[in-house]
Amino acid sequence: MKACIRGAAVAMTAISMAVALAACGQGAGNDSDGGNTPRIGLLLPDATTARWETQDRPLLEKAIKELCGNCTVEHANAEGNVAAQQEQLNSMITKGADAIVLVAVDARSLGAAVRKAAEADIPVIAYDRLAEGPISGYVSFDGEEVGRLQGRALLEAMGDRMNGGQIVMMNGDPSDPNAVSFKKGALSALEGRVEIGKAYDTLHWRTETANMNMSGAISALGVGNIDGVYAANDGLAAGSISALKANKVNPLPPVTGQDAELSALRRIVSGDQYMTVYKPFGPEASAGAAMAVAAARGESLDRVATGQVRARGGAVPAVLLPPVSVTVDNIKDTLVKDGVYTIQQICTPQLRAACGKAGLS
């Protein structure tokens, strides 16, 4: 595990250095924009997933300001509403934004608005989720690797129950290209190793939908017949665990997650959730900011990118970062070490004993 963490850290350091060098090469950090004030739109998908407003937004705004002191950032959150995000994107186009960073609520439905932005010569940077339409750049994590990490961790946690064991899959929103990648990666690890008793796609990643679906799975499969739960993110894990507890499932089966939410870490320490996937927000925001600033200045994104992805219209400059699997054994060496959370934030008074056992003191 520690060797894996070190490898991921080296990769992220290399990518961060590449982004920093590219930004410096573009004149980042100074205000040599001829008196212009580049305007960058930041469109987030929802407030259900905590990371968008608590991590990505402040990190992106800070990184953009560091690279371009006279850039302005206009932010909007669609609250999970596709029509609202279409309106927000159209508003950014009307106002004449110089670049737009987009986390699409529904990649397919936003395709027409992305094309409209391209027709207005406004580059769109797809952030964390690959959007439909002629995007100019893409910043995210390796989605299939996220799913593989989750699947492998679930198998490891199941132990002897892996052979012949039965799991429930709580997948994400099928309109989110990332959810499709997570599912594909997870199935590559799980298929042939366990029986998938029930599988659900969760529209808009809603915690309450996961809760309802898990209750249905328990009714269909039986209280004692669920040996593991693949939950695509921490919100779905929370909904699933709540249903398991409400239906008196004891002991709880291992449950996966993603996004390293603070509440998820507390569940991991308490033993309710087995793991989460940490996608270091700092490097992703740095790469997204560098792309946004370069795009707003009309500069090439190839100097910022570390590779390419295939999207509609051809190859797109991209930065893909490595995710990290987190269990109770390496919270301190990952999220605490990186300054995402402090031990004091994670270890509530109720978790003091469990934190001590986990070495979080």
Side-chain angles (χ1 to χ4, degrees):
M1 178 63 73
K2 287 187 177 179
C4 179
I5 296 168
R6 284 196 298 270
V10 169
M12 284 185 286
T13 300
I15 291 169
S16 297
M17 288 178 65
V19 171
L21 288 170
C24 287
Q26 295 160 356
N30 61 59
D31 296 338
S32 56
D33 295 300
N36 294 327
T37 302
R39 291 168 292 180
I40 297 173
L42 173 57
L43 298 181
L44 299 179
D46 60 68
T48 304
T49 303
R51 60 168 287 191
W52 303 126
E53 294 291 347
T54 63
Q55 298 288 342
D56 296 271
R57 178 187 172 186
L59 287 169
L60 277 162
E61 290 176 340
K62 180 182 178 184
I64 288 170
K65 281 296 184 182
E66 288 175 348
L67 292 172
C68 177
N70 67 334
C71 282
T72 60
V73 179
E74 183 175 343
H75 153 265
N77 191 309
E79 301 289 348
N81 187 308
V82 174
Q85 191 166 61
Q86 288 173 327
E87 184 177 333
Q88 290 163 357
L89 184 48
N90 286 330
S91 175
M92 297 283 185
I93 296 169
T94 300
K95 292 177 182 178
D98 294 292
I100 297 171
V101 178
L102 171 67
V103 189
V105 174
D106 183 325
R108 185 172 299 171
S109 298
L110 268 294
V114 172
R115 284 192 294 275
K116 185 176 178 181
E119 290 166 1
D121 293 324
I122 300 173
V124 174
I125 309 301
Y127 183 86
D128 202 74
R129 300 174 181 175
L130 189 60
E132 294 272 341
I135 60 171
S136 297
Y138 178 51
V139 177
S140 190
F141 289 81
D142 184 335
E144 289 188 29
E145 179 63 11
V146 169
R148 285 190 290 269
L149 290 177
Q150 293 169 318
R152 291 168 188 157
L154 185 59
L155 293 175
E156 180 180 341
M158 289 174 65
D160 294 340
R161 291 173 293 174
M162 177 180 67
N163 297 317
Q166 181 170 241
I167 70 166
V168 173
M169 287 194 78
M170 206 64 66
N171 300 303
D173 190 330
S175 69
D176 178 349
N178 278 357
V180 176
S181 296
F182 303 151
K183 182 178 179 179
K184 182 178 179 181
L187 287 174
S188 73
L190 295 170
E191 284 186 324
R193 310 291 296 278
V194 294
E195 180 180 348
I196 301 172
K198 287 288 183 180
Y200 302 91
D201 292 332
T202 315
L203 292 177
H204 304 305
W205 295 90
R206 294 193 184 280
T207 300
E208 57 270 25
T209 303
N211 181 278
M212 179 183 68
N213 288 339
M214 182 56 69
S215 294
I218 295 167
S219 296
L221 302 175
V223 169
N225 296 320
I226 298 174
D227 300 304
V229 177
Y230 168 81
N233 78 351
D234 292 333
L236 303 187
S240 300
I241 291 167
S242 177
L244 290 164
K245 288 185 171 183
N247 285 275
K248 311 298 182 186
V249 176
N250 187 29
L252 289 173
V255 181
T256 66
Q258 178 187 181
D259 290 331
E261 294 183 0
L262 180 58
S263 57
L265 297 183
R266 290 170 177 164
R267 289 193 297 271
I268 290 171
V269 170
S270 71
D272 289 346
Q273 183 172 326
Y274 178 67
M275 65 84 72
T276 188
V277 175
Y278 169 39
K279 300 186 297 186
F281 307 116
E284 186 179 20
S286 293
M291 276 202 174
V293 170
R297 290 172 169 164
E299 297 168 348
S300 171
L301 300 188
D302 290 330
R303 296 181 65 187
V304 179
T306 57
Q308 293 181 331
V309 295
R310 298 297 300 181
R312 291 181 184 267
V316 174
V319 175
L320 293 178
L321 296 146
V324 180
S325 179
V326 174
T327 66
V328 70
D329 296 324
N330 67 331
I331 290 174
K332 193 171 185 177
D333 291 334
T334 53
L335 291 143
V336 174
K337 183 179 179 181
D338 287 356
V340 179
Y341 305 113
T342 65
I343 289 176
Q344 289 71 28
Q345 287 175 305
I346 299 168
C347 296
T348 62
Q350 298 92 328
L351 292 175
R352 191 166 294 139
C355 279
K357 185 177 179 182
L360 292 170
S361 56

